[in-house]
Amino acid sequence: MAAEQPSSEDVEDELLAHLDANAEIPDSRSFASSLGVPHRDVEDVIKRLCAFRIVGSTDMTKEALVLTDEAKGYVARGSPEVQFVAAMPPKGAASKAALQEILGDVFDVGLKAAAKKQWIGFDKENEDLVTRRVKDTKDELQEQLKRLENGEVFDDKVMEGLKRRKLITKEKSIWYSLKKGPEFVVKRKTLATDVTRDHLKSGDWKDLEFKDYNYGAQGQPIAIGYSQPLLEVLEAIQNIFVEMGFSEMPTNMFVESSFWNFDALFQPQQHPARDSHDTFFLKAPATTPQLPDDYLEKVKQVHQSGGYGSKGYGYDWKRDEAEKNLLRTHTTAVSTRMLYKVVQNSFAPKRYYSIDRVFRNEAVDRTHLAEFHQIEGLICDYGLTLGDLIGVLEDFFSRLGMSKLRFKPAYNPYTEPSMEIFGYHEGLKKWMEIGNSGMFRPEVLLPMGLPEGVNVIAWGLSLERPTMILNGINNIRKLFGPKVNFKVIKNRPMCRLGCSKVDRSSAGGDMSCLS
Ligand code: FB9
């Protein structure tokens, strides 16, 4: 009956008693084998006693050459070459297939090694046959491996041979030399960690020593899901829009017709953005014939010859160009559909927003993918001015933590005036481009049938940029897709919108993403 394995408490008492008697334990490995316990059991006790400063330990490491599992197999069952010959009939030939059956994965190594030792030969006629050339075999290899196991070392040539046959490998072994620690005791009083009912009933709680509370102890990591940073910022920005009285536009249509994506927005058909270098056009379904004819006619007119105070572009507008299907390049395509719908029934002032994917056939780089999430806000109402637009932008971006804005005149085919928006980020002490905006042109609004005097102000930005900045992520590929590092996601601080203070230490520190 195998001797009862000493418990960890027993090993501890043995170790403390030994230290008390000998002041030091120079080699924890030989101490472990003297107790007949695996070294790791002594390691656990050493770690515990060091934590209580009862014991002081110095750890030493040395690289030792140890037998691989394959070699241990040969020590147990003999070297492959010996096993091979042993599986053959005492003399004459044997079929490889039969030997393969018997020897399994030792067959290959055994065949090569036995052949190398000229213990076997091959039959030219029948290549499945091997002939035995020796009566007995001396298992030098097994002998060597056994002696190695007992710590013997051979000359380099032998050792190199064994390494080449992957029979020995380097193993770092660590051991400890132990001394009494400042809190050394022969018997460690186990500190109570809880007052149990038995303690109370037995009353022995009075002379128990309790373990101090470790207020720094980390709680059990709770396995919960983590919101994708993009979705976190998306939700926050949706709340900002709803708080500002905006309602969401339906954006569940990635495939759009050129008509709503470009023509309705008074973007001329030869505009560079309308060629496949910038836009993903669809092969199938390539076109959308269902377009509102009367409205389309008006769009055609305003492109060709203007009207509504505009002289238009004066080019020959083609319906089939407008029918071409594409992946929408901006959610402004949804805005045109919405505005057109607004006038279908009696006009009423509206505040709409959209946040969804848009697709641009652009070169992928650190901040650009071929798709991103566009955020768009628009207000249509009587008598809206550029001042109203600036006011709304200040309100919106202040809720995003950007209180100081600057506006730079810009150009969009569908808005005039248009402005690029720049915001000063307190935390990063930096001005950055945070979006684009403008007042929809009459050439966009009036063909739709929007009443005179109604203006539409709108602005747009991306979701990826603020999310990268607020999470200190400098490469958009780390934001979503296969390169997302979940540890970063898991351990990143909650990004709080509106607090412009980016705490550098927590936000992964590298601010190069802002350039
Ligand atoms: O998002 C952008 N920048 C940004 C936004 C917020 C932010 O928040 C801080 C942490 C708190 C930080 C940065 N940009 C727009 C500016 C640039 O990044 C720009 O280089 C890239 N732009 C994208 C388009 O790239 C081709 C961002 C994307 C963009 C640009 C314009 C619009 C929408 C998205 C628009 C519009 C528009 C205009 C008029 C009417 C209706 C819509």
Side-chain angles (χ1 to χ4, degrees):
M1 216 314 272
E4 172 67 22
Q5 266 291 349
S7 72
S8 181
E9 275 60 37
D10 305 338
V11 171
E12 176 178 315
D13 297 347
E14 285 288 339
L15 188 148
L16 292 174
H18 194 94
L19 262 183
D20 188 38
N22 313 287
E24 68 153 358
I25 296 176
D27 171 358
S28 57
R29 276 189 184 281
S30 45
F31 178 73
S33 39
S34 70
L35 291 187
V37 298
H39 186 244
R40 79 178 157 285
D41 291 15
V42 173
E43 257 176 327
D44 301 348
V45 170
I46 291 170
K47 283 202 175 69
R48 185 163 66 226
L49 293 175
C50 285
F52 288 107
R53 293 156 30 79
I54 293 172
V55 154
S57 114
T58 324
D59 48 355
M60 274 78 71
T61 58
K62 86 170 180 333
E63 276 211 332
L65 280 169
V66 296
L67 268 58
T68 60
D69 297 352
E70 183 190 352
K72 290 188 186 122
Y74 298 158
V75 168
R77 292 182 295 284
S79 65
E81 52 269 37
V82 168
Q83 290 184 49
F84 191 96
V85 175
M88 296 177 75
K91 57 185 181 331
S95 98
K96 282 188 192 163
L99 290 168
Q100 173 84 53
E101 271 313 297
I102 302 163
L103 295 165
D105 51 17
V106 171
F107 174 83
D108 288 332
V109 191
L111 177 83
K112 284 200 199 72
K116 196 151 163 262
K117 286 183 181 298
Q118 313 285 336
W119 290 353
I120 60 172
F122 301 99
D123 179 322
K124 296 210 186 359
E125 265 69 53
N126 174 343
E127 82 98 26
D128 173 52
L129 280 186
V130 268
T131 53
R132 180 175 181 146
R133 289 220 187 114
V134 289
K135 192 163 165 337
D136 316 312
T137 55
K138 188 173 161 329
D139 200 336
E140 266 169 28
L141 176 63
Q142 184 186 43
E143 188 48 40
Q144 273 172 351
L145 295 174
K146 280 191 182 144
R147 286 162 57 189
L148 258 171
E149 225 170 14
N150 305 337
E152 216 176 309
V153 178
F154 297 98
D155 64 38
D156 293 1
K157 195 165 139 322
V158 173
M159 299 305 270
E160 278 318 307
L162 292 172
K163 248 193 232 141
R164 230 187 353 276
R165 285 185 74 171
K166 294 192 177 46
L167 296 178
I168 55 175
T169 177
K170 273 211 182 70
E171 186 179 79
K172 208 192 272 316
S173 66
I174 183 164
W175 72 97
Y176 308 89
S177 110
L178 308 173
K179 287 197 177 7
K180 289 181 180 174
E183 316 292 334
F184 180 80
V185 286
V186 180
K187 177 76 183 123
R188 179 169 67 87
K189 197 202 307 285
T190 41
L191 301 177
T193 54
D194 226 340
V195 181
T196 63
R197 218 160 58 73
D198 308 351
H199 288 146
L200 296 173
K201 261 183 42 222
S202 63
D204 67 4
W205 59 270
K206 290 193 196 69
D207 27 302
L208 274 180
E209 206 179 318
F210 286 91
K211 191 162 174 237
D212 299 345
Y213 269 112
N214 167 3
Y215 295 106
Q218 291 294 319
Q220 278 301 327
I222 38 179
I224 56 167
Y226 294 83
S227 61
Q228 219 284 355
L230 269 175
L231 297 179
E232 208 175 66
V233 177
L234 179 133
E235 196 184 319
I237 290 182
Q238 279 192 318
N239 296 342
I240 287 176
F241 274 116
V242 172
E243 283 152 18
M244 293 174 69
F246 285 71
S247 39
E248 184 162 21
M249 293 186 264
T251 56
N252 54 344
M253 229 174 73
F254 291 173
V255 175
E256 188 52 278
S257 65
S258 297
F259 178 78
W260 292 107
N261 194 85
F262 289 126
D263 296 279
L265 285 167
F266 197 53
Q267 191 145 353
Q269 293 187 335
Q270 61 292 88
H271 187 285
R274 294 185 68 159
D275 68 22
S276 56
H277 295 104
D278 290 0
T279 298
F280 297 108
F281 286 94
L282 263 67
K283 281 204 187 57
T287 62
T288 302
Q290 295 86 8
L291 295 170
D293 295 329
D294 57 352
Y295 171 40
L296 179 138
E297 201 40 49
K298 293 197 182 84
V299 169
K300 174 176 180 171
Q301 284 319 315
V302 77
H303 279 247
Q304 290 197 162
S305 49
Y308 320 102
S310 167
K311 59 182 181 25
Y313 294 117
Y315 71 90
D316 170 19
W317 187 86
K318 303 233 175 339
R319 177 170 181 137
D320 53 14
E321 185 61 35
E323 289 178 353
K324 284 185 181 162
N325 283 335
L326 44 79
L327 291 182
R328 65 176 177 218
T329 61
H330 50 193
T331 55
T332 319
V334 178
S335 305
T336 42
R337 280 175 176 280
M338 211 60 189
L339 286 170
Y340 180 70
K341 211 152 140 226
V342 163
V343 288
Q344 295 323 298
N345 20 344
S346 65
F347 172 78
K350 285 271 186 295
R351 292 173 164 237
Y352 284 127
Y353 78 90
S354 62
I355 307 178
D356 209 328
R357 286 184 193 209
V358 298
F359 308 85
R360 298 192 182 174
N361 188 356
E362 274 170 356
V364 172
D365 64 18
R366 189 178 60 73
T367 57
H368 285 82
L369 292 174
E371 63 181 78
F372 69 90
H373 292 75
Q374 175 171 345
I375 300 167
E376 178 149 322
L378 75 86
I379 304 177
C380 50
D381 198 347
Y382 290 97
L384 287 176
T385 67
L386 189 63
D388 296 314
L389 175 56
I390 291 173
V392 166
L393 293 175
E394 264 151 7
D395 182 357
F396 176 81
F397 281 106
S398 64
R399 296 165 191 249
L400 249 182
M402 304 268 217
S403 46
K404 279 203 299 262
L405 300 186
R406 281 186 186 150
F407 301 98
K408 181 171 155 233
Y411 171 78
N412 299 313
Y414 40 88
T415 52
E416 185 56 41
S418 306
M419 309 184 294
E420 270 174 7
I421 312 159
F422 289 80
Y424 184 75
H425 202 291
E426 302 302 338
L428 307 159
K429 306 266 171 289
K430 194 177 172 120
W431 281 94
M432 64 179 82
E433 185 192 352
I434 57 176
N436 191 303
S437 64
M439 302 188 68
F440 276 104
R441 300 178 70 100
E443 293 93 333
V444 173
L445 304 178
L446 300 175
M448 282 178 180
L450 271 161
E452 282 293 334
V454 167
N455 259 336
V456 178
I457 55 179
W459 73 96
L461 62 154
S462 79
L463 179 64
E464 283 74 6
R465 300 297 295 132
T467 307
M468 289 170 72
I469 288 164
L470 291 162
N471 291 280
I473 295 173
N474 73 346
N475 188 318
I476 196 163
R477 297 183 190 83
K478 291 191 195 137
L479 196 51
F480 63 126
K483 287 211 177 69
V484 167
N485 172 334
F486 280 106
K487 264 206 299 314
V488 172
I489 300 275
K490 263 183 166 173
N491 310 328
R492 75 197 155 77
M494 254 300 289
C495 83
R496 289 174 300 288
L497 277 182
C499 79
S500 65
K501 202 175 74 39
V502 167
D503 117 23
R504 295 175 178 276
S505 62
S506 58
D510 66 359
M511 289 300 135
S512 59
C513 64
L514 300 172
S515 56

